[in-house]
Amino acid sequence: DNMEAKTIQYLVKRCGVTHFFSVPLVWNLIAKKIYQEAEKSNQRQRLDKALNISLKIQTVFPKLGRFIARRILFKRIIEESLGLSPNFLISGGGYIDKNTLKLFNGIGYRLFNGYGSTETGIVSVELSTNVSEVIKGSTGKVFDQYDYIVENDILKLNGPALFKGMIVDKKIVYRDESLFYSTNDIYKEVDGKLYIISRCDDVIIGDNGENITPQQIEYNLSTTDTIKYTCVLQLDKTTTHRILAIGYKDNTTDLQKKIALNVLAKSINKLPLNEKINDVYLLKSNLEINADKLPRNKIKNLLIEKENIEKINLKEYLKIDNTYIEEELTKDIQSMISQVLNIEKHKVKTEDDFMNDLNGSSLEFFELINQISSKYNIDILFDELGSHITSISISNLLKQKMEN
């Protein structure tokens, strides 16, 4: 039942999965995490440069290039993402970011973009052997069993592979096979290949009048694990007013929320003008969200009905600096140390070593780490803290993990 990206990564490696078909959200989440980790370690430019070199080698020597990428250039990333077993990956069911395609193919996986739906079956897949074509984002040429037209930017299909009818009120209603079926997906065609833009209902109108997929904006937002989902919407298509809806994970502390909103506010300020967010709302309803699909219509209805929502002023959270976060975390850690050791809080100094200065035992240390992990829902390994364990060192580690 758990469809989080990290769970999928674990299962792929554990079961030795070789072929994996999934929706774009899965691939985008994994890629975004890799890019964010590279940025935090100031390695983003180095990663991009290595990807470009890898793709150039693969263009000339496809098999050798992938081998070098998987086994040498990006060995650590491969081991930490999906492992060596996957040979063929397909994304389908929506828009996939070009940076995701570049990353996966650059590090040596073969990730292809395709298109299909329940009503149509698989319509097209970009199966070029030239990696430079694959990373352009095309869903390929429509298979021969389909006739198609792109009318007013909407893809319409016909042919024997389409659904024959639907069951409505326990009766079969047959499709008129003389008419083209509207997919309600916005597409553009370039040199006989199709490029998906967005679902018609989801599309965002940019300031310049262009159609933008909401996933593109969501992909460009930085968040922490505290935020369960981000959903960009445009309730009124006659304006360019864009709304961001977010939701928190369960058992999130107030400080974690502040840190998450601080990271989010900074990333929104970096968005290009055409993707700017006008308002941010917190949805307090407990929505079921997984890597399979984001319930945009349900979120949209909650915003329209103004049901259980709260408008967030992100300017407040831009004021939060590292000093504030460190001080608040340190105070909380000091409080927990005093409870575990059963001593007065003012006796716990920021630089006091848990064992040497405060005479804490190994058992009490384990209890402290368990309390911190439980409260902040963050796993802490004992060897991550080193030999000098103070409230400052613990808070610094916690802050780093929260921001990641």
Side-chain angles (χ1 to χ4, degrees):
D1 293 335
N2 189 335
M3 289 292 289
E4 288 189 7
K6 62 182 179 182
T7 306
I8 293 171
Q9 288 174 261
Y10 170 77
L11 289 173
V12 169
K13 287 188 284 187
R14 176 72 182 270
C15 301
V17 173
T18 57
H19 291 64
F20 187 7
F21 306 160
S22 188
V23 293
L25 188 57
V26 170
W27 311 120
N28 284 337
L29 285 173
I30 295 172
K32 187 174 180 180
K33 189 72 174 175
I34 293 172
Y35 278 127
Q36 286 179 342
E37 288 175 358
E39 286 173 357
K40 287 188 178 296
S41 57
N42 295 319
Q43 296 293 315
R44 177 60 190 267
Q45 286 186 341
R46 187 178 177 184
L47 174 61
D48 287 333
K49 186 176 180 180
L51 288 173
N52 291 333
I53 293 171
S54 173
L55 291 168
K56 285 180 181 178
I57 297 173
Q58 290 185 53
T59 301
V60 183
F61 306 105
K63 290 185 178 180
L64 177 62
R66 287 197 299 273
F67 179 85
I68 292 173
R70 288 160 70 104
R71 301 283 185 170
I72 302 173
L73 289 177
F74 303 102
K75 183 179 179 181
R76 183 184 62 81
I77 294 177
I78 290 289
E79 289 173 349
E80 293 177 357
S81 54
L82 299 176
L84 286 168
S85 62
N87 291 320
F88 193 86
L89 311 174
I90 287 185
S91 175
Y95 170 85
I96 185 169
D97 194 275
K98 288 183 181 179
N99 285 319
T100 298
L101 287 169
K102 178 181 178 180
L103 177 78
F104 272 93
N105 285 281
I107 65 177
Y109 291 122
R110 292 194 297 166
L111 174 59
F112 299 93
N113 195 18
Y115 174 75
S117 68
T118 304
E119 296 85 358
T120 65
I122 300 175
V123 174
S124 65
V125 181
E126 174 56 83
L127 292 174
S128 174
T129 56
N130 187 339
V131 71
S132 61
E133 286 295 316
V134 174
I135 64 175
K136 287 180 180 179
S138 158
T139 58
K141 294 184 178 181
V142 174
F143 294 146
D144 293 340
Q145 62 264 40
Y146 298 94
D147 295 320
Y148 75 97
I149 55 174
V150 178
E151 189 174 80
N152 296 323
D153 295 331
I154 305 294
L155 178 65
K156 296 184 177 182
L157 298 165
N158 206 345
L162 260 67
F163 73 104
K164 298 298 180 182
M166 294 184 177
I167 298 176
V168 181
D169 295 330
K170 299 182 179 180
K171 294 181 180 180
I172 299 176
V173 179
Y174 289 97
R175 181 178 66 85
D176 186 342
E177 296 186 20
S178 67
L179 301 176
F180 276 80
Y181 167 71
S182 176
T183 64
N184 206 33
D185 288 321
I186 299 177
Y187 260 84
K188 67 177 180 180
E189 185 176 10
V190 180
D191 298 329
K193 293 186 176 183
L194 297 177
Y195 293 78
I196 188 168
I197 305 300
S198 178
R199 292 289 295 171
C200 193
D201 294 339
D202 298 339
V203 71
I204 302 293
I205 309 299
D207 288 357
N208 59 2
E210 289 185 1
N211 291 328
I212 304 173
T213 177
Q215 291 93 334
Q216 177 180 325
I217 303 175
E218 291 157 7
Y219 187 90
N220 291 331
L221 292 173
S222 296
T223 61
T224 69
D225 286 341
T226 299
I227 293 182
K228 191 176 182 181
Y229 58 86
T230 57
C231 180
V232 177
L233 298 163
Q234 204 165 32
L235 301 184
D236 184 357
K237 296 297 175 69
T238 63
T239 72
T240 59
H241 192 88
R242 289 177 285 276
I243 291 174
L244 174 65
I246 66 169
Y248 294 129
K249 286 185 177 179
D250 295 335
N251 304 318
T252 300
T253 67
D254 288 340
L255 186 57
Q256 283 176 303
K257 292 175 183 177
K258 289 179 180 178
I259 293 173
L261 291 175
N262 174 258
V263 172
L264 181 62
K266 289 176 181 176
S267 72
I268 287 177
N269 277 356
K270 293 178 183 178
L271 288 175
L273 185 62
N274 210 34
E275 299 178 8
K276 283 296 182 185
I277 301 296
N278 299 101
D279 290 316
V280 178
Y281 287 90
L282 168 67
L283 271 60
K284 299 180 179 179
S285 303
N286 188 20
L287 292 176
E288 287 296 324
I289 306 291
N290 55 45
D292 183 44
K293 195 174 183 181
L294 192 63
R296 294 184 186 277
N297 286 335
K298 188 178 289 187
I299 292 173
K300 188 181 293 186
N301 289 335
L302 289 172
L303 289 168
I304 292 172
E305 296 167 7
K306 297 182 179 179
E307 182 181 326
N308 211 12
I309 64 173
E310 175 188 335
K311 190 172 182 179
I312 297 175
N313 181 9
L314 285 184
K315 289 182 179 179
E316 292 180 19
Y317 299 96
L318 280 171
K319 300 173 185 176
I320 297 175
D321 58 14
N322 288 333
T323 302
Y324 171 82
I325 295 170
E326 288 165 4
E327 288 177 352
E328 291 300 307
L329 272 176
T330 302
K331 288 177 186 177
D332 198 24
I333 301 301
Q334 286 176 295
S335 178
M336 282 191 272
I337 289 175
S338 70
Q339 291 173 15
V340 168
L341 297 180
N342 196 24
I343 59 177
E344 294 178 25
K345 185 178 176 180
H346 72 271
K347 292 183 178 181
V348 182
K349 308 301 181 185
T350 57
E351 295 293 343
D352 282 347
D353 185 275
F354 186 84
M355 304 282 193
N356 299 325
D357 298 320
L358 300 174
N359 298 317
S361 66
S362 297
L363 191 62
E364 289 168 327
F365 174 62
F366 288 136
E367 183 183 346
L368 173 66
I369 295 303
N370 285 332
Q371 280 192 23
I372 295 170
S373 298
S374 176
K375 178 172 183 178
Y376 289 98
N377 196 26
I378 291 175
D379 293 329
I380 295 178
L381 302 177
F382 298 113
D383 57 2
E384 289 179 312
L385 288 166
S387 58
H388 189 53
I389 304 163
T390 66
S391 54
I392 281 286
S393 66
I394 296 173
S395 67
N396 286 339
L397 178 63
L398 260 183
K399 177 177 174 291
Q400 181 183 357
K401 284 179 172 284
M402 285 181 187
E403 291 176 343
N404 287 338

